[in-house]
Amino acid sequence: LEMSLGEVQLDADLAASVELEPGPYAKLSVTDSGTGISPENLKRIFEPYFTTKELGRGTGLGLATVQGIVKSHRGSIRVQSTLGQGTTMEIYLPITIASEPEAEPLPQLPLPEQSGHAMVVDDENALMNLEKKILENLGWRVSSFASSTEALAAFEKNPSRFDLIMTDQTMPQLTGADLARKILAIRPEIPIILTTGYSESIDEKQAAELGIKAFLMKPFSGSELTKILQNLEE
């Protein structure tokens, strides 16, 4: 695995090939010597929910999320891959030369003073652990579950144990919306935050109609989650 970071100047032709404006960019390159990606799959790797993994082993949101983050910073990703030889991913992010004094830092939202018990449900371990860490930093005790059916079983065993539910929407066996329905049937007042990277099956309005208190799009920041938790208290 090779990684490199440097400054490049994109001319008109190269900038057009990655759908950017000409100018200076930071270029992050990651190259592996793996099996490579077939041309058919290469065309679809940034599609939400496209995955070559077996059912239950991945949602296909990883690269779609990465692309969303890069585009939100006015950047672009270029992928080159050869079967049997490996893959190179190049991320281009615009370089800005500061010409004015730095702006005053934005005021930080005060952390809510909470010590409740939250349930986090997400079949992507990396995302589950990230959400758990954010909540713990905000003062919550957290029980995390990679399986929505196991989470439901834990809730049914002791419904009064939890003060907050935070669940992903797209999961095998039991979606986040279905999990929310079953939990709300037991405790209609418990606040539920539904997270999703992309979903055609449910939107914010539909989630609210189910009794879900908040709808959060991935990727999200700690400050976004803090604001939602503060709104739940009001």
Side-chain angles (χ1 to χ4, degrees):
L1 185 67
E2 296 181 1
M3 299 179 66
S4 64
L5 176 65
E7 181 177 344
V8 295
Q9 185 74 30
L10 296 187
D11 59 24
D13 291 338
L14 184 54
S17 71
V18 290
E19 300 180 342
L20 293 173
E21 295 295 325
Y25 288 82
K27 175 184 175 184
L28 172 65
S29 296
V30 181
T31 300
D32 67 38
S33 56
T35 58
I37 306 171
S38 70
E40 296 78 16
N41 288 338
L42 192 60
K43 298 175 183 177
R44 304 186 61 191
I45 59 173
F46 293 114
E47 291 181 17
Y49 297 121
F50 173 74
T51 179
T52 57
K53 295 180 180 179
E54 60 187 64
L55 184 64
R57 300 299 298 272
T59 62
L61 286 173
L63 285 176
T65 300
V66 169
Q67 186 184 53
I69 293 171
V70 171
K71 284 189 173 182
S72 72
H73 290 282
R74 297 181 292 114
S76 182
I77 303 180
R78 182 168 68 169
V79 183
Q80 302 176 72
S81 187
T82 303
L83 281 175
Q85 296 184 24
T87 301
T88 296
M89 290 202 173
E90 298 172 338
I91 296 178
Y92 295 89
L93 296 171
I95 293 176
T96 301
I97 307 301
S99 57
E100 298 178 1
E102 292 188 5
E104 290 292 323
L106 294 174
Q108 296 296 312
L109 289 171
L111 296 182
E113 296 181 1
Q114 296 170 335
S115 58
H117 190 175
M119 170 187 284
V120 170
V121 190
D122 199 312
D123 63 334
E124 290 283 348
N125 284 325
L127 295 176
M128 179 183 67
N129 291 331
L130 176 60
E131 293 161 8
K132 179 176 184 290
K133 185 175 181 62
I134 291 174
L135 283 169
E136 288 176 337
N137 288 339
L138 296 176
W140 289 84
R141 290 177 293 116
V142 180
S143 294
S144 53
F145 298 85
S147 164
S148 52
T149 54
E150 290 179 6
L152 178 61
F155 185 86
E156 290 175 334
K157 184 177 180 180
N158 189 355
S160 62
R161 178 185 174 194
F162 301 99
D163 304 296
L164 172 72
I165 308 296
M166 185 171 177
T167 177
D168 183 37
Q169 164 61 9
T170 306
M171 293 181 291
Q173 297 180 309
L174 198 64
T175 68
D178 290 334
L179 175 62
R181 287 189 187 95
K182 293 181 181 294
I183 286 176
L184 291 170
I186 301 170
R187 281 188 57 194
E189 82 289 352
I190 192 168
I192 298 179
I193 301 173
L194 184 68
T195 66
T196 183
Y198 173 86
S199 177
E200 294 181 340
S201 62
I202 190 169
D203 57 25
E204 188 170 4
K205 181 180 178 182
Q206 293 169 322
E209 290 172 350
L210 289 177
I212 294 170
K213 293 295 191 296
F215 188 82
L216 188 57
M217 294 296 297
K218 298 178 181 178
F220 57 85
S221 65
S223 61
E224 288 176 299
L225 181 55
T226 298
K227 187 174 181 180
I228 282 179
L229 293 172
Q230 290 173 326
N231 291 338
L232 291 178
E233 288 187 319
E234 295 175 355

